[in-house]
Amino acid sequence: MDNNSPASPATSDAPLYDLVVVGGGINGVGIAADAAGRGLRVLLCEQHDLAAHTSSASSKLIHGGLRYLEQGEFRLVREALAEREILLAKAPHIVRPLRFVLPLRPQLRPAWLIRTGLFLYDRLSARGQLPASHAVRFTADSPLKPEIRRGFEYADCQVDDARLVLLNAMAARERGATICPRTRCLSAQRQQGLWQIELQRADGQRSSVRARALVNATGPWVTRFIEDALHQRPPHHIRLVQGSHLIAPRLYEGDEAYILQNEDRRIVFVIPYLQRYSLIGTTDREFAGDPAQVAIGETEIDYLLRAVNAHFKRPLQRSDIRHSFSGVRPLLDDESHDPAAITRDYSLSLSAEQGQAALLSVFGGKLTTYRRLAEAALEQLAPFLPPMKPSWTAGTALPGGEELDDPDVLAGDLLQEFTWLPDGLAQRWAHTYGSRAYRLLEGASQPAHLGEHLGGGLYGREVDYLCREEWAEQAEDILWRRTKLGLLLPPAAQRRLAEYLSERPAIRQRTTTAGPGPSPDAGCADTAALPPAAAP
């Protein structure tokens, strides 16, 4: 946070919000969406793109955390398993069931211990839509090494993590929230019972807003924000833990994932990814530095390759790696000596003395439990906010999940109605946008209406939609977060996408409530143009 340059003075006529959320990762957008749906006036700002960091660098799972049972995290596992069922119903286009195979290596964990853990996992979950765990025996056609003959199978879910963030941001906007990516919170001060907040766009333009309550959901920056923007002492310490992943050509046929045990008692996932790849991760190592500049290290690559090659017949070489990504997890410091053993639970720290505006800081957390975290945050903030509507997110679909049971069926419906649509495109759009895929096709009746083909099944019409509806501005926003086409588009096509974006008129994303169908470009390009809010 840069506090060296003077901030514009806050004024009494600056827009007033009930809640300002700083941080556009999964926890921030989850809180913003929940609050907006309860009738509060909400603004969210994020210094970079939505889901630009930790929330798009996960193992892309919605799961209870089987290994957390060894650490005695029963409450966290129970809550995460309940949320797994809720999210599977809320967003069936981006959350799907996934079978996990756990090869038995008795020298690491005996069969009785794993069987006991899975028994608890099944009982804590009440299972719902997913089947119970069971033992398996591997045959000669298994991709595992011949000496690995037994194992176990259980179920969890896979998710498009960045799109989970974006859908919550859309849900917030559609309920009246103002969403401002690429907008940094320079400072926030308590004055006259309110927060006086200074914001700065990436283009340097500044503005002021006021808020009854402030949420610090800045993830790896949570303590730095308290120190630099608020000039306070953080109530908790966090430990930054780097997790890295590899993407390689698919290691085996089949739709199941593998959960591999290591000599250090950690686990590594091998997960089917985008039909043609395997996603391998994650690591756990202490991190020091700028979380925006994290990158995989040589020792992490070696670690993941060793884990895979200890289990699978087909050896994986460095030359097989197609892509890697790393994220920094901000974990609540529980003084554990092992980074892998640090709790993944969250803590909410409320600061609000008599007559002062409230501050809530989010420490820790995991992707799966973001919705429950948001409910808990609003429960704590309720005494400092106007009367709210009751909680609502558990039973309401995320954008694209409305009236959707099976995205594969939706893909067939799209092809039946738009017979000229390429089959692969219908399938990808159904699993990316769900029922909102129809919005991309409004008024289209022939292939030419898809616009310029930029490569890899990406058309100008989709790019325009992402800029208009999902705050995309740069090529990497589209290639790596809103879609995963960065793995498929060659460099020349990626350069053409960047040119296409630069040729578009100035992007002004929407900030107010979205109605049905496409909307004009309008929004938080500058926060001085924020819609006025009511006086206190």
Side-chain angles (χ1 to χ4, degrees), residues 49 163 166 182 428 433 454 458-460 462-467 470-486 489 497-498 500-501 504 507:
D49 185 27
R163 290 211 60 78
L166 288 158
R182 295 180 172 85
R428 182 172 69 80
Y433 305 107
L454 299 163
L458 180 66
Y459 291 85
E462 182 177 3
V463 172
D464 294 343
Y465 173 88
L466 292 172
C467 292
E470 297 192 9
W471 301 278
E473 294 188 21
Q474 301 173 6
E476 68 174 33
D477 303 345
I478 293 171
L479 294 172
W480 298 107
R481 288 182 284 278
R482 285 144 188 87
T483 77
K484 299 299 182 287
L485 294 176
L489 266 66
L497 171 60
Y500 182 92
L501 289 168
R504 296 185 79 250
I507 299 168

Side-chain angles (χ1 to χ4, degrees), residues 236-239 330-335 342-343 345-347 363-365:
H236 300 294
H237 295 290
I238 61 168
R239 291 180 49 191
L331 304 181
L332 190 66
D333 189 357
D334 60 4
E335 300 183 355
I342 302 172
T343 180
D345 211 346
Y346 56 83
S347 177
F363 292 85

Side-chain angles (χ1 to χ4, degrees), residues 149-486:
R149 300 177 181 178
R150 299 170 54 204
F152 298 87
E153 185 176 290
Y154 69 98
D156 265 319
C157 292
Q158 190 172 28
V159 67
D160 186 329
D161 50 5
R163 290 211 60 78
L164 185 64
V165 174
L166 288 158
L167 296 185
N168 274 276
M170 292 170 66
R173 181 189 60 202
E174 292 175 5
R175 288 160 178 82
T178 298
I179 307 296
C180 297
R182 295 180 172 85
T183 301
R184 174 179 292 189
C185 178
L186 292 177
S187 66
Q189 298 179 348
R190 288 180 170 114
Q191 294 181 14
Q192 300 177 339
L194 296 171
W195 284 105
Q196 305 288 341
I197 301 168
E198 302 300 321
L199 304 176
Q200 183 179 51
R201 280 280 301 172
D203 60 9
Q205 186 165 352
R206 294 191 178 189
S207 61
S208 302
V209 297
R210 299 175 296 155
R212 292 187 171 91
L214 178 66
V215 171
N216 171 15
T218 54
W221 290 270
V222 61
T223 56
R224 190 184 305 179
F225 178 80
I226 294 172
E227 293 168 343
D228 294 351
L230 306 181
H231 304 291
Q232 298 179 15
R233 178 174 296 178
H236 300 294
H237 295 290
I238 61 168
R239 291 180 49 191
L240 300 182
V241 176
Q242 176 173 332
S244 296
H245 296 77
L246 303 176
I247 297 176
R250 194 156 184 170
L251 291 174
Y252 54 87
E253 297 297 324
D255 296 329
E256 69 277 8
Y258 285 82
I259 175 171
L260 311 179
Q261 302 181 73
N262 287 330
E263 301 292 339
D264 60 3
R265 298 190 66 81
R266 290 200 66 258
I267 57 94
V268 168
F269 292 110
V270 180
I271 303 167
Y273 191 59
L274 303 178
Q275 284 78 53
R276 64 183 74 181
Y277 300 103
S278 290
L279 174 65
I280 303 161
T282 183
T283 59
D284 277 301
R285 72 172 187 177
E286 299 278 357
F287 177 82
D290 182 359
Q293 303 299 322
V294 62
I296 194 169
E298 294 298 318
T299 57
E300 290 179 293
I301 295 174
D302 292 339
Y303 178 87
L304 295 175
L305 290 177
R306 282 197 305 270
V308 169
N309 292 332
H311 289 81
F312 287 94
K313 295 174 183 174
R314 173 186 165 190
L316 185 64
Q317 310 292 336
R318 280 176 175 258
S319 58
D320 295 322
I321 299 170
R322 296 292 181 266
H323 183 64
S324 66
F325 62 89
S326 302
V328 177
R329 298 185 289 270
L331 304 181
L332 190 66
D333 189 357
D334 60 4
E335 300 183 355
S336 171
H337 296 294
D338 179 6
I342 302 172
T343 180
R344 267 53 175 177
D345 211 346
Y346 56 83
S347 177
L348 303 176
S349 176
L350 180 65
S351 167
E353 297 180 10
Q354 185 67 31
Q356 286 188 340
L359 167 67
L360 185 79
S361 294
V362 179
F363 292 85
K366 61 197 298 281
L367 192 72
T368 304
T369 54
Y370 85 89
R371 192 201 65 83
R372 183 65 193 99
L373 182 151
E375 287 186 335
L378 289 174
E379 288 169 7
Q380 291 201 24
L381 288 169
F384 310 95
L385 295 169
M388 295 186 291
K389 298 176 184 177
S391 59
W392 62 278
T393 56
T396 304
L398 286 169
E402 306 96 338
E403 300 180 2
L404 177 67
D405 294 322
D406 187 337
D408 291 324
V409 173
L410 172 61
D413 293 341
L414 289 170
L415 286 172
Q416 187 173 9
E417 184 172 348
F418 303 92
T419 56
W420 46 269
L421 198 63
D423 179 60
L425 188 64
Q427 187 75 7
R428 182 172 69 80
W429 281 9
H431 283 269
T432 302
Y433 305 107
S435 57
R436 298 290 175 100
Y438 284 103
R439 296 194 180 190
L440 277 79
L441 290 165
E442 287 184 356
S445 59
Q446 56 181 296
H449 291 161
L450 294 177
E452 179 182 347
H453 184 213
L454 299 163
L458 180 66
Y459 291 85
R461 190 180 186 93
E462 182 177 3
V463 172
D464 294 343
Y465 173 88
L466 292 172
C467 292
R468 184 180 67 242
E469 299 286 334
E470 297 192 9
W471 301 278
E473 294 188 21
Q474 301 173 6
E476 68 174 33
D477 303 345
I478 293 171
L479 294 172
W480 298 107
R481 288 182 284 278
R482 285 144 188 87
T483 77
K484 299 299 182 287
L485 294 176

Side-chain angles (χ1 to χ4, degrees), residues 123-134:
R123 295 304 178 272
L124 288 171
S125 71
R127 290 198 303 277
Q129 303 179 57
L130 302 180
S133 61
H134 60 89

